[in-house]
Amino acid sequence: MLDKIAMVNVVNACAKLGVMHKAKIVHDYVMRMNFSLDVILGTAIIDMYAKCGSVDSAREIFDRMREKNIISWSVMIAAYGYHGDGQKALDLFHMMLGSGILPNNITFVSLLYACSHSGLVEEGFRLFSLMQDEYGVRPDAKHFTCMVDLFGRAGKLDQALKLIEDMNIEKDEGLWGALLGACRIHGHVELAEKAAESLIELQPQNAGHYVLLSNIYAKAGRWKEVAKVRKLMTHQRLKKIPGWTWIEVDNKIHKFSVGDRTHPLSKEIYEELKHLSEKVELAGYVPDTNFVLHDVDEELKLGFLYSHSERLAISFGLISTPEGTPIRITKNLRVCGDCHTFSKFVSSITHRVIIVRDANRFHHFKEGGCSCGDYW
């Protein structure tokens, strides 16, 4: 029989995997063995459920815990953040204050992240302003990174840059990465070059920085600059991280890449995807080939979009899971913008909830909408 310390390690491992089926098995075992939901184990289970895609289950455990410390509150606040519900994160923060627990630096990282991913610019800025004066928490690089992300996502790129230039702590890759990400969202090429230059100086062997700059050039149609970046990557012997999407079905992980035809059910998957594509186009979906970052004709671009790994995983989920059950997929990179639109339409025509965990956050697609409110 596992002791509580071992159980916490199992729960933490399950959180990293992000697989709901295993999370339920682990939780059932905890209940069967009558482990008490103390601060350590209870907080670990909250984190596990949140990272497996069920913030409601996480909150249920949180509410059942008799004792909560600052870590418990911060983990639950963070859960609302990466599930895109900034208002609930703020509401929980005020509940925490009402219970007599004061925030620490981790709490503020969770809060600012939640505000950033929900477009709560004024609320985030107010919290950042009050951190040190009211709560005695001195902002560090992570807090500044959240603020750069907050301003950047909202299109306030000048404020984001000014914050970086005025700060009196060492500027790290997180700060410049947040700015570069904002430039990708808003297509600001010149500022992207400045951010990428700083990133490459700090981390010359990180292929992701080159790829993101290349993608920004590609989206702007500046193919000569794209070629220069790719040539530099080749010279540096750097390789782009391939995009993968995976789904758990019948306690087995099924992994897909773009254009993948290695799965034993590939024929059925592509047939389902073809039917889906026809149905969503009838429902009003229009492919956005701007998300194909290759200098090719429109027909080829449509082909690239059609076989993205997210779509293959969703199609497999539809043919291999019971009707009406949620489909849960995970992608190692940021979800494609056109696949995001496609998933909204699929959730509407199939009446399925589709839960996508990407490199940054969760998206819950239901009846034609997404929990992110298209702010991501």
Side-chain angles (χ1 to χ4, degrees):
M1 177 181 168
L2 296 174
D3 61 17
K4 186 165 287 188
I5 295 173
M7 199 68 244
V8 170
N9 288 331
V10 170
V11 171
N12 289 337
C14 194
K16 289 181 181 178
L17 288 172
V19 180
M20 178 58 76
H21 175 73
K22 290 180 174 57
K24 288 179 177 177
I25 291 174
V26 169
H27 186 203
D28 286 345
Y29 181 83
V30 168
M31 300 301 290
R32 228 173 28 248
M33 295 296 106
N34 291 319
F35 285 108
S36 61
L37 288 180
D38 61 10
V39 168
I40 296 173
L41 182 57
T43 301
I45 293 175
I46 291 168
D47 187 53
M48 175 185 74
Y49 269 127
K51 289 178 178 174
C52 289
S54 181
V55 71
D56 291 337
S57 297
R59 182 59 187 267
E60 186 180 332
I61 299 299
F62 178 83
D63 288 339
R64 283 171 50 193
M65 288 171 59
R66 293 181 180 178
E67 182 186 354
K68 305 176 183 71
N69 63 8
I70 185 60
I71 299 174
S72 311
W73 287 93
S74 297
V75 165
M76 192 64 233
I77 289 169
Y80 281 126
Y82 49 79
H83 281 271
D85 201 332
Q87 191 54 57
K88 284 188 178 177
L90 291 173
D91 292 343
L92 198 65
F93 173 63
H94 293 302
M95 282 180 61
M96 185 189 81
L97 295 178
S99 72
I101 294 180
L102 293 176
N104 61 12
N105 63 327
I106 297 171
T107 314
F108 278 107
V109 170
S110 300
L111 280 167
L112 295 174
Y113 180 94
C115 289
S116 172
H117 281 261
S118 302
L120 301 173
V121 179
E122 291 182 9
E123 292 87 340
F125 184 68
R126 184 179 61 82
L127 286 168
F128 183 73
S129 302
L130 292 175
M131 273 180 62
Q132 188 161 354
D133 293 342
E134 189 159 330
Y135 300 104
V137 178
R138 186 177 180 181
D140 61 22
K142 289 183 179 178
H143 301 107
F144 278 101
T145 297
C146 286
M147 289 305 297
V148 169
D149 194 51
L150 177 81
F151 287 136
R153 285 178 186 276
K156 300 177 183 294
L157 295 172
D158 290 340
Q159 285 179 252
L161 180 60
K162 187 176 188 306
L163 190 68
I164 293 175
E165 291 174 341
D166 291 348
M167 60 187 282
N168 56 5
I169 62 174
E170 186 177 353
K171 300 169 180 62
D172 64 9
E173 63 276 5
L175 283 159
W176 292 114
L179 184 63
L180 186 59
C183 292
R184 176 194 52 75
I185 294 170
H186 298 287
H188 199 306
V189 177
E190 289 72 23
L191 192 52
E193 291 172 331
K194 177 180 176 65
E197 183 181 340
S198 298
L199 277 168
I200 291 169
E201 188 177 328
L202 288 166
Q203 294 181 322
Q205 295 304 308
N206 189 327
H209 306 326
Y210 300 84
V211 171
L212 190 48
L213 178 61
S214 173
N215 290 349
I216 291 168
Y217 281 140
K219 196 170 181 181
R222 294 172 60 167
W223 300 108
K224 288 183 180 179
E225 284 86 349
V226 171
K228 287 180 183 178
V229 174
R230 290 178 180 172
K231 185 177 180 181
L232 181 58
M233 288 181 68
T234 302
H235 179 72
Q236 298 275 61
R237 296 182 179 178
L238 300 175
K239 291 185 178 180
K240 178 182 177 182
I241 299 172
W244 295 92
T245 304
W246 55 95
I247 179 173
E248 184 194 31
V249 174
D250 295 331
N251 205 25
K252 182 181 177 182
I253 300 296
H254 301 261
K255 191 175 179 183
F256 300 90
S257 61
V258 60
D260 201 331
R261 292 186 180 269
T262 60
H263 195 279
L265 295 178
S266 271
K267 182 180 177 182
E268 292 87 346
I269 291 168
Y270 275 91
E271 284 177 356
E272 176 68 16
L273 181 54
K274 181 182 177 182
H275 293 148
L276 273 180
S277 298
E278 291 170 351
K279 288 178 181 177
V280 296
E281 286 182 16
L282 285 173
Y285 161 74
V286 178
D288 187 348
T289 55
N290 287 322
F291 288 100
V292 179
L293 304 175
H294 300 277
D295 189 13
V296 294
D297 64 32
E298 286 298 305
E299 187 175 346
L300 279 174
K301 286 185 177 184
L302 288 170
F304 278 121
L305 282 179
Y306 175 77
S307 59
H308 272 193
S309 61
E310 297 99 313
R311 303 184 191 210
L312 297 177
I314 289 171
S315 298
F316 174 67
L318 287 169
I319 65 174
S320 58
T321 59
E323 194 171 328
T325 59
I327 294 172
R328 302 173 186 273
I329 67 173
T330 302
K331 185 169 183 180
N332 64 329
L333 304 175
R334 186 179 189 268
V335 68
C336 160
D338 187 69
C339 288
H340 186 274
T341 302
F342 180 83
S343 299
K344 288 196 294 183
F345 276 95
V346 172
S347 73
S348 177
I349 65 172
T350 62
H351 303 291
R352 294 270 206 129
V353 174
I354 301 171
I355 301 168
V356 180
R357 178 186 183 179
D358 72 5
N360 299 319
R361 57 172 296 160
F362 282 88
H363 297 268
H364 297 252
F365 300 97
K366 183 178 180 181
E367 296 297 336
C370 181
S371 58
C372 73
D374 296 333
Y375 188 92
W376 58 288

